[in-house]
Amino acid sequence: MSIVGATTTELLARFERGDLSSVEATTAYLDAIALNDQRVKAFLHVDYDHAVAQAKAVDAKRARGEPLGKLAGLPVAVKDVVCTAGQPTTCASRMLKNFVPPYDAHVVTRLRLADAVLIGKTNMDEFAMGSSTENSAFQVTRNPWDLERTPGGSSGGSAAAVAAGMSPLALGTDTGGSIRLPAGYCGVVGMKPTYGRVSRFGLVAYGSSLDQIGPFANDVAGAALLLEVLSGYDRRDSTSVDTPVPEYSRTLEEPLGGLRIGIAKEHFVEGLDREVEQSVRDALEVYRSLGAEIQEISLPHSKYAVAVYYVVAPSEASSNLARYDGVHYGHRAAGFENMIDMYSASRGEGFGPEVKRRIMLGTYALSAGYYDAYYLKALKVRRLIRNDFDKAFESVDVIASPVAPTPAFKIGELIDDPLAMYLSDIYTISANLAGLPGLCLPAGASCDNLPIGLQLLAPPFDEDRLLRAARMFERETQWHKRRAMEVGD
Ligand code: GLN
């Protein structure tokens, strides 16, 4: 098995046996980046020397027989919305083009403590707003399975990096599906943890009541291991929950007897691609053959999820993005007459069109006179969406659904139609509104050979069961073994 096609489990075993060093592995991934990223454009920043130096340090630690972290020697790519000390963190925005954070995000500290190798920063939709990475101010990432198509977004760079064998692991963020959707489009595993499971300290905020950081990997075990490293209480994020973190990677192989899987009748309606629907139904058959019981459930308010999300997320975004005023940090326009002029020129030049659209939508929804009609109303419906899930989880353990209505769409296909773009989030955003953990894993292929993802959702803090349920499917199927690109090392 080639290095860059290997799973994290295989890589760690080879490190342990001593037949592969972290420097060799890291170099193989860096070579894959040099070879493929001119076409895929997953990375915004790769510091080759620094990556090799980190790998060398881990190899030396191993040679000295010192205790090693759980990710010792494994490269991890980080979405460029997560702060890395001394390395650019641009959020794919002109506004932060020259921003180099003076500190690490909590998750980055956790990666360093786990002896991971930070291989680079990945492309995304500007400030994580989008579903295709076309909203990046710098470059459009391409889907490694078909370069004419989008990898999904907003964490498209991270998903594409893993799918193209340019990193075995990556971090993404998921405010309304931005880990799960690109995982589905790129045929990798991606997971959004429960709201509160992973600290957002050092994550540039988009929608603060929705944002979560989570893992990408090429199999469930990789995602479980990375989640285990990222999770846990941090007093620097007031929404971080102080509850024990199970060792997900240890319990993964334990079978789930009598698993009850819910499928929502609202999820199988017009607009759902025939091949996507077939893949989900085939996946359910696999579960049935393993003894799972499939039950129909109802999520009656899910039809409002897109509308609710596109009020709540832009409202929070408009408030979070107020800090980019050209004074504190970020882009400042060159020519201006007075302070107000400086604010508007800096923001006008620094933000791209989708970010401006969100700021306008959010400011409108929050303004006096409209607040009750839009924002408050959206919060009330959000509660009803959560109630639907609470009720459903009284009779099922997990909920299975498509991750998106279609496989990856073409670059340029939806960019001029924001509403159509927003509809690609239809299956993912409810989990963010309700704070639930969700996972997407490869579960099929279209006749064009594009990956099709299966989404599983679980009750809050039930990541353990979610991962085990995903692993049950993975053990029985071969979808996760498909690789997007022939990459030599
Ligand atoms: N596509 C959604 C949006 O544009 C979700 C983005 C995300 O999860 N960061 O807001």
Side-chain angles (χ1 to χ4, degrees):
M1 166 65 86
S2 76
I3 296 171
V4 299
T7 64
T8 51
T9 317
E10 288 159 353
L11 290 169
L12 286 173
R14 290 181 67 179
F15 291 157
E16 208 135 288
R17 282 201 305 271
D19 62 39
L20 179 71
S21 70
S22 175
V23 170
E24 284 164 342
T26 303
T27 309
Y29 287 103
L30 290 170
D31 289 349
I33 294 173
L35 190 70
N36 293 319
D37 209 38
Q38 278 165 0
R39 287 178 296 156
V40 177
K41 298 188 183 302
F43 285 89
L44 288 175
H45 178 74
V46 182
D47 186 338
Y48 288 74
D49 295 340
H50 184 53
V52 173
Q54 293 171 74
K56 257 191 196 144
V58 180
D59 285 340
K61 218 168 155 181
R62 195 186 293 276
R64 291 195 298 270
E66 287 174 27
L68 293 167
K70 288 184 179 173
L71 302 176
L74 284 178
V76 182
V78 177
K79 186 178 181 181
D80 211 25
V81 67
V82 173
C83 286
T84 41
Q87 274 190 316
T89 300
T90 66
C91 297
S93 178
R94 268 186 297 277
M95 185 57 95
L96 292 176
K97 189 161 177 259
N98 301 313
F99 179 56
V100 178
Y103 65 95
D104 276 333
H106 178 78
V107 288
V108 172
T109 306
R110 298 294 274 251
L111 291 179
R112 293 194 204 276
L113 288 172
D115 291 316
V117 171
L118 302 180
I119 194 162
K121 303 296 293 286
T122 55
N123 194 32
M124 52 184 280
D125 287 295
E126 183 175 4
F127 284 104
M129 296 172 195
S131 307
S132 66
T133 79
E134 289 165 290
N135 295 333
S136 166
F138 307 124
Q139 62 194 31
V140 174
T141 302
R142 294 174 177 270
N143 191 315
W145 293 87
D146 175 352
L147 297 172
E148 298 299 303
R149 291 179 189 266
T150 158
S154 63
S155 315
S158 289
V162 173
M166 299 193 283
S167 181
L169 294 170
L171 294 191
T173 63
D174 193 312
T175 304
S178 278
I179 293 176
R180 291 160 288 151
L181 181 79
Y185 283 0
C186 291
V188 298
V189 176
M191 185 172 183
K192 177 196 106 65
T194 309
Y195 186 75
R197 181 56 104 184
V198 176
S199 164
R200 290 99 46 89
F201 175 80
L203 165 66
V204 178
Y206 164 15
S208 303
S209 75
L210 304 155
D211 299 338
Q212 267 294 292
I213 301 169
F216 284 102
N218 58 20
D219 69 353
V220 177
L225 184 68
L226 182 50
L227 180 68
E228 195 173 304
V229 166
L230 304 177
S231 298
Y233 177 65
D234 171 27
R235 62 176 175 76
R236 296 171 301 177
D237 174 357
S238 61
T239 64
S240 158
V241 176
D242 194 0
T243 179
V245 179
E247 270 194 90
Y248 303 118
S249 59
R250 247 179 224 281
T251 51
L252 200 58
E253 303 295 335
E254 285 172 22
L256 284 165
L259 181 68
R260 298 166 305 167
I261 301 178
I263 51 162
K265 54 175 188 258
E266 293 83 1
H267 285 163
F268 297 86
V269 288
E270 217 193 301
L272 178 60
D273 175 270
R274 201 179 39 79
E275 289 180 306
V276 173
E277 172 164 3
Q278 196 52 48
S279 295
V280 175
R281 298 214 182 268
D282 290 349
L284 293 171
E285 278 316 307
V286 172
Y287 277 110
R288 220 191 292 268
S289 74
L290 294 170
E293 183 195 313
I294 317 292
Q295 268 181 43
E296 190 176 275
I297 54 158
S298 176
L299 299 169
H301 297 94
S302 61
K303 58 176 179 284
Y304 303 119
V306 173
V308 169
Y309 174 86
Y310 280 98
V311 172
V312 173
S315 296
E316 295 181 5
S318 74
S319 160
N320 276 325
L321 268 52
R323 69 187 60 153
Y324 303 102
D325 55 6
V327 177
H328 296 89
Y329 52 90
H331 175 76
R332 180 185 291 189
F336 50 85
E337 310 221 310
N338 53 43
M339 202 170 67
I340 297 296
D341 190 35
M342 191 267 289
Y343 285 161
S344 53
S346 302
R347 288 169 69 82
E349 290 171 12
F351 291 135
E354 183 62 28
V355 174
K356 287 179 185 158
R357 182 179 294 123
R358 304 289 178 103
I359 292 173
M360 285 191 278
L361 282 170
T363 309
Y364 183 81
L366 290 177
S367 55
Y370 293 107
Y371 183 92
D372 288 0
Y374 295 108
Y375 189 67
L376 196 63
K377 181 72 146 260
L379 290 188
K380 289 179 180 169
V381 183
R382 180 178 186 175
R383 181 71 233 180
L384 298 175
I385 290 170
R386 169 68 190 255
N387 290 351
D388 285 353
F389 281 110
D390 288 349
K391 184 150 183 291
F393 285 126
E394 283 170 12
S395 57
V396 298
D397 304 308
V398 297
I399 295 172
S401 76
V403 73
T406 63
F409 51 90
K410 289 226 164 88
I411 289 170
E413 197 176 322
L414 302 183
I415 196 68
D416 296 325
D417 187 351
L419 265 183
M421 184 75 88
Y422 298 170
L423 280 174
S424 58
D425 304 334
I426 197 156
Y427 293 108
T428 46
I429 53 189
S430 296
N432 301 79
L433 292 168
L436 310 176
L439 181 149
C440 174
L441 78 166
S446 72
C447 58
D448 296 330
N449 200 34
L450 298 170
I452 294 176
L454 171 72
Q455 176 175 245
L456 298 174
L457 303 176
F461 298 102
D462 227 350
E463 283 89 354
D464 176 55
R465 192 154 34 165
L466 192 56
L467 287 157
R468 283 163 69 193
R471 179 64 191 134
M472 268 171 83
F473 176 81
E474 192 184 66
R475 228 186 339 242
E476 295 300 309
T477 55
Q478 301 294 321
W479 299 112
H480 62 291
K481 299 211 170 123
R482 290 172 10 109
R483 294 287 178 264
M485 287 186 153
E486 282 305 316
V487 269
D489 40 58

